Amino acid sequence: MERRTFLRGAVVGTSAAAFGGTLMRGAAYAAPAQPGAGPYGALGAADANGIMLPAGFTSRVIARSGQTVPGTSYTWHNAPDGGACYADGTGWIYVSNSEVNPSGGAGAVRFDSSGSITSAYRILSGTRQNCAGGKTPWNTWLSCEEVSLGYVYEADPWGVNAAVQRPAMGRFKHEAAAADPVRRAVYLTEDESDGCFYRFLPATWGNLSSGTLQVLKAGSGTSGSFTWQNVPDPDGSPTATRNQVSGAKRFNGGEGCHYANDTVWFTTKGDNRVWQLNLSSNTYELAYDDSLVVGGGAPLTGVDNVTGSSFGDLYVAEDGGSMEICVITPDDVVAPFLRITGQSSSEICGPAFSPAGNRLYFSSQRGTTGSSSGGITYEVTGPFRT
C-alpha cells in the first residue's frame, strides 16, 4: 500500500529556509520518493542500540535511569521526558524532565565542544510528574507539572540558581511551553481530553513572576480565526481554568508545543493532530491529521513532544505508535526519521537539537523494561539539514 502524506497549513511570506515555510493548503498530498522515506532516505537496519536510522547517522546512549551518567557521579532520573539544549561556551547542555510522581524534577548533562560529557547534575527537585516544558529566550528551562492544579517551574540549566515556582502562569495539567519573543508571550498546552490552549503575557518580558493568563477562543472547526480572553482566576480553584471562559476552544489532549517565525505548532494526542496557529493573521488550522492520510498507513501516530530544526523541519516524537520520531518538512513530506525497536511499551520524549544542529537528543521514557526506571536517553549525530 502506498503511503501518502497529508499536507496542510499556511505560513505565508516565509522562506523554506525559515522554519515553517509556505505550505500547501487544502486537500493536497505528496508521497516521499519511496514509501516511508523522507528527506534523509529510508531507515536502515537497527543499530547496536536498537535504533533504525537513515544512512550517515549514528546513535549513542548518554544516560540510563538509575545509573550514573558516564564520567560523572550523577544518577540519571527515572522516566526522562521533555528536554531542551543550551549553548555553553563552545559546548552545550541538554536538560531533561522526570515524569514521576512524587519527586519529578529535572536534570542536565553538560558536553564540551567535542561532544564528550563533562558533568551531570540536578536542576529541579521536589516537584510532581514533570512532563514537557520549554526553553525561554533568556536561557532558562520551564518545567511543567502534568497533574491537576500543576505548576510551571523556572529552572537554571547550569544549576547555579534555585528553581522558582511560577503560579501566575496558571495552575492546571500543564504539558509544554513555547516562548514568542515578538509578542512577548509564552504559549501553554493542557493535557486534558477537553483541555485548552493558553498564552501567558508577563508584566515584564524576561520575568515570569507576574502577568496575564489568557485562553484561546475559537469555533468548533479545524480552521478559522481565534481571539484571546483573560482567565479570571489562574489559580484554577474552585473552577478549573479551562472552564472559566465561555467559548474557549477545546483540544483533545494537548502535548508538545513549538514556536518559530510568527507560528506556533502544538500536538493533540487524543485525535493525533498537529495544529498550527498563524499569529500574524490570528488564524488556526491543521498541519497534520492522520485521519486524512490517503490510503491509510499514516506515517505519524501518537503525536507528542515536538521540536524544530534551523532548516525548517518539524520533528514530532511518538508516544507509542511505531516508536518513531517523524519529520514534517517545509514542503510537507511526513516520514519517519528514526525508529526505536524492542521498546513498544515506551514513548519517545524530549527531542532537542544541539546549538550547531548536528546532534539530536531524546529519550525512551521506559526503555526495554516498560517501567519508569528503564528510561534511556540518546544522542543521534549525522548530516542534519541546517
Side-chain angles (χ1 to χ4, degrees), residues 152-238:
V152 174
Y153 288 82
E154 187 172 15
D156 175 13
W158 285 262
V160 175
N161 300 310
V164 180
Q165 189 181 87
R166 297 303 190 192
M169 301 184 76
R171 297 192 64 189
F172 53 88
K173 199 172 183 181
H174 283 278
E175 182 69 33
D180 173 1
V182 176
R183 291 153 199 85
R184 297 190 169 189
V186 179
Y187 304 102
L188 302 160
T189 56
E190 181 177 26
D191 194 357
E192 299 273 11
S193 60
D194 60 345
C196 291
F197 187 81
Y198 304 87
R199 75 173 181 181
F200 179 69
L201 303 175
T204 302
W205 186 238
N207 184 343
L208 302 176
S209 62
S210 64
T212 303
L213 182 69
Q214 298 181 322
V215 66
L216 185 141
K217 291 183 61 175
S220 59
T222 56
S223 64
S225 60
F226 66 84
T227 59
W228 300 98
Q229 185 168 326
N230 293 354
V231 175
D233 180 15
D235 287 342
S237 180

Side-chain angles (χ1 to χ4, degrees), residues 23-50:
L23 304 181
M24 302 177 66
R25 301 196 65 178
Y29 297 82
Q34 54 180 301
Y40 299 106
L43 302 183
D47 64 11
N49 296 318

Side-chain angles (χ1 to χ4, degrees), residues 7-11 21-30 285-286 330-332:
L7 316 177
R8 292 200 66 148
V11 185
T22 301
L23 304 181
M24 302 177 66
R25 301 196 65 178
Y29 297 82
E285 57 196 306
L286 289 174
D331 55 354
D332 306 307

Side-chain angles (χ1 to χ4, degrees), residues 190 194 196 198 215 231-232 238-246 248 250:
E190 181 177 26
D194 60 345
C196 291
Y198 304 87
V215 66
V231 175
T239 303
T241 54
R242 67 186 184 279
N243 295 329
Q244 293 181 24
V245 174
S246 177
R250 304 293 179 164

Side-chain angles (χ1 to χ4, degrees), residues 9-257:
V11 185
V12 179
T14 59
S15 69
F19 186 77
T22 301
L23 304 181
M24 302 177 66
R25 301 196 65 178
Y29 297 82
Q34 54 180 301
Y40 299 106
L43 302 183
D47 64 11
N49 296 318
I51 299 181
M52 299 172 63
L53 292 162
F57 291 86
T58 58
S59 75
R60 68 165 169 160
V61 174
I62 64 165
R64 294 179 183 271
S65 295
Q67 299 182 23
T68 55
V69 177
T72 78
S73 60
Y74 177 73
T75 301
W76 197 237
H77 47 267
N78 286 349
D81 205 290
C85 279
Y86 299 79
D88 178 45
T90 58
W92 60 92
I93 295 168
Y94 178 65
V95 166
S96 170
N97 277 343
S98 175
E99 195 188 12
V100 294
N101 189 5
S103 296
V109 180
R110 179 176 284 162
F111 302 86
D112 65 17
S113 59
S114 69
S116 297
I117 295 171
T118 60
S119 63
Y121 45 90
R122 194 80 169 177
I123 66 169
L124 176 64
S125 300
T127 57
R128 304 169 296 162
Q129 203 161 322
N130 297 76
C131 195
K135 180 180 178 180
T136 69
W138 49 93
N139 285 325
T140 59
W141 169 242
L142 301 181
S143 185
C144 297
E145 288 186 315
E146 189 195 4
V147 295
S148 178
L149 298 178
Y151 288 101
V152 174
Y153 288 82
E154 187 172 15
D156 175 13
W158 285 262
V160 175
N161 300 310
V164 180
Q165 189 181 87
R166 297 303 190 192
M169 301 184 76
R171 297 192 64 189
F172 53 88
K173 199 172 183 181
H174 283 278
E175 182 69 33
D180 173 1
V182 176
R183 291 153 199 85
R184 297 190 169 189
V186 179
Y187 304 102
L188 302 160
T189 56
E190 181 177 26
D191 194 357
E192 299 273 11
S193 60
D194 60 345
C196 291
F197 187 81
Y198 304 87
R199 75 173 181 181
F200 179 69
L201 303 175
T204 302
W205 186 238
N207 184 343
L208 302 176
S209 62
S210 64
T212 303
L213 182 69
Q214 298 181 322
V215 66
L216 185 141
K217 291 183 61 175
S220 59
T222 56
S223 64
S225 60
F226 66 84
T227 59
W228 300 98
Q229 185 168 326
N230 293 354
V231 175
D233 180 15
D235 287 342
S237 180
T239 303
T241 54
R242 67 186 184 279
N243 295 329
Q244 293 181 24
V245 174
S246 177
K249 185 166 179 61
R250 304 293 179 164
F251 295 97
N252 190 351
E255 292 288 339
C257 191

